[in-house]
Amino acid sequence: EKGGYDYFMLKEIAEQPRAVADTLLGRIAADGRLVLDEMRITDQELREVDKIIIVACGTSYHAGLIAKYALEHWAGLPCEVELASEFRYRDPILSRSTLVIAISQSGETMDALMAVRHAREQHAKLLGICNVNGSTLPRECDGVLYTHAGPEVAVASTKAFLTQLVAVYLIALYIAQVRGTKWGDEVFAMIQLLAQMPEKVEKVLETMEPVRELARSLANERSVLFLGRHVGFPVALEGALKLKELAYMHAEGFAAGELKHGPIALIEEGLPVIVVVPPRARAVLHDKIVSNIQEIRARGARTIVIAEEGDETVEPFADTLIRVPAVPTLFQPLVTTVPLQVFACELATAKGHDVDQPRNLAKSVTVE
Ligand code: M6R
């Protein structure tokens, strides 16, 4: 059932182009508009929303952090992202016009379910993003948008994460379509580009051998740092989480803009730092991160740079360069996360760990 792979995780990483395509399937109409009637939340209800709060745990929380950028940009709505385990014990300010989006692969994560109940008490609208049909989360929510990743067996989430990203892009673009924000130009173009993402993910997977080699060469390191800006920041957090779970290694993700506020003190000779570089089209973001790479390299870091094809500015400062296809900034996590999954999986395997069943972890955390 591992389809010829040694681990489910390897199979699930490889399935990502298909999972992304399946999550888009039937949701883009022939005229290029999105159709999400299945969501069970009406267009009228979406027009009344004035604030969005996302609740989730772990990797699903990272998808939520990325969703914030997309929802603010395309849907033009204020959006907060909360760890479900924190949200449920706070006194959040919600109303009938608040849309709470709970993201959970399993649909059984206790903290996510409790966060949803907490939001219901304050009459918020509840939308689940979930991968498991018939799980608890969709029953607890007013509406649901399923990801179609197929069963995810490995404890570390990979294909579910990519499909969660697709789901949040669909929701952000759909709200923009319904509310008329920017509809007609950017949103329409983005829907077309989203449809091309399965091929882009496929292209990334075809070029992963150097990443596997790199991972094997770093198997004896004690610590790896990850840096990103904008949507690259949650990608950095996700890369670090994968490495912690699978390789039991110290790994931390930082917002590159925070470097000078503390983390740069950690940089020492030879420390591997993986940097996610935004597309050149976002010149301000891009140039800032190129300066960050120079700063850490000047202090001895071993720079591992993930940058889009054709970006030559990073070449002089990258000890290792990992190329990903050029895609719009907000979609970039779909292509930049994949090398980080492969990296963590290969490094852990090189250390002799079972990547499907990391120690101390369960696939769904149904206790508090
Ligand atoms: O099923 P969920 O999406 O609610 O699970 C949330 C987290 O437990 C999960 O993403 C966890 O962080 C994974 N092991 C990450 O790889």
Side-chain angles (χ1 to χ4, degrees), residues 57-60 103-109 112 155-157 164 238 241-242 245 361-365:
C57 308
T59 288
S60 299
I103 309 178
S104 173
Q105 187 282 132
S106 60
E108 301 296 350
T109 299
V155 164
S157 186
Q164 287 167 345
E238 174 61 8
L241 178 60
K242 289 280 101 79
E245 312 189 79
L361 294 175
K363 182 62 183 162
S364 41
V365 184

Side-chain angles (χ1 to χ4, degrees), residues 27 36 45 57 63 65 87 94 115 121 136 171 174 179 216 225 241 266 277 290 296 346:
R27 290 168 172 169
L36 297 182
E45 285 170 322
C57 308
L65 291 175
F87 176 87
L94 315 181
E121 283 164 16
T136 309
I171 291 168
Y174 186 73
R179 296 169 66 106
R216 290 191 291 269
L225 302 187
L241 178 60
L266 291 169
V277 179
V290 175
I296 57 170
E346 183 72 19

Side-chain angles (χ1 to χ4, degrees), residues 295-317:
E295 286 155 7
I296 57 170
R297 197 158 191 256
R299 288 164 180 78
R302 170 169 177 183
T303 56
I304 300 156
V305 175
I306 303 181
E308 67 181 7
E309 275 155 15
D311 181 351
E312 286 162 11
T313 50
V314 292
E315 280 169 17
F317 316 114

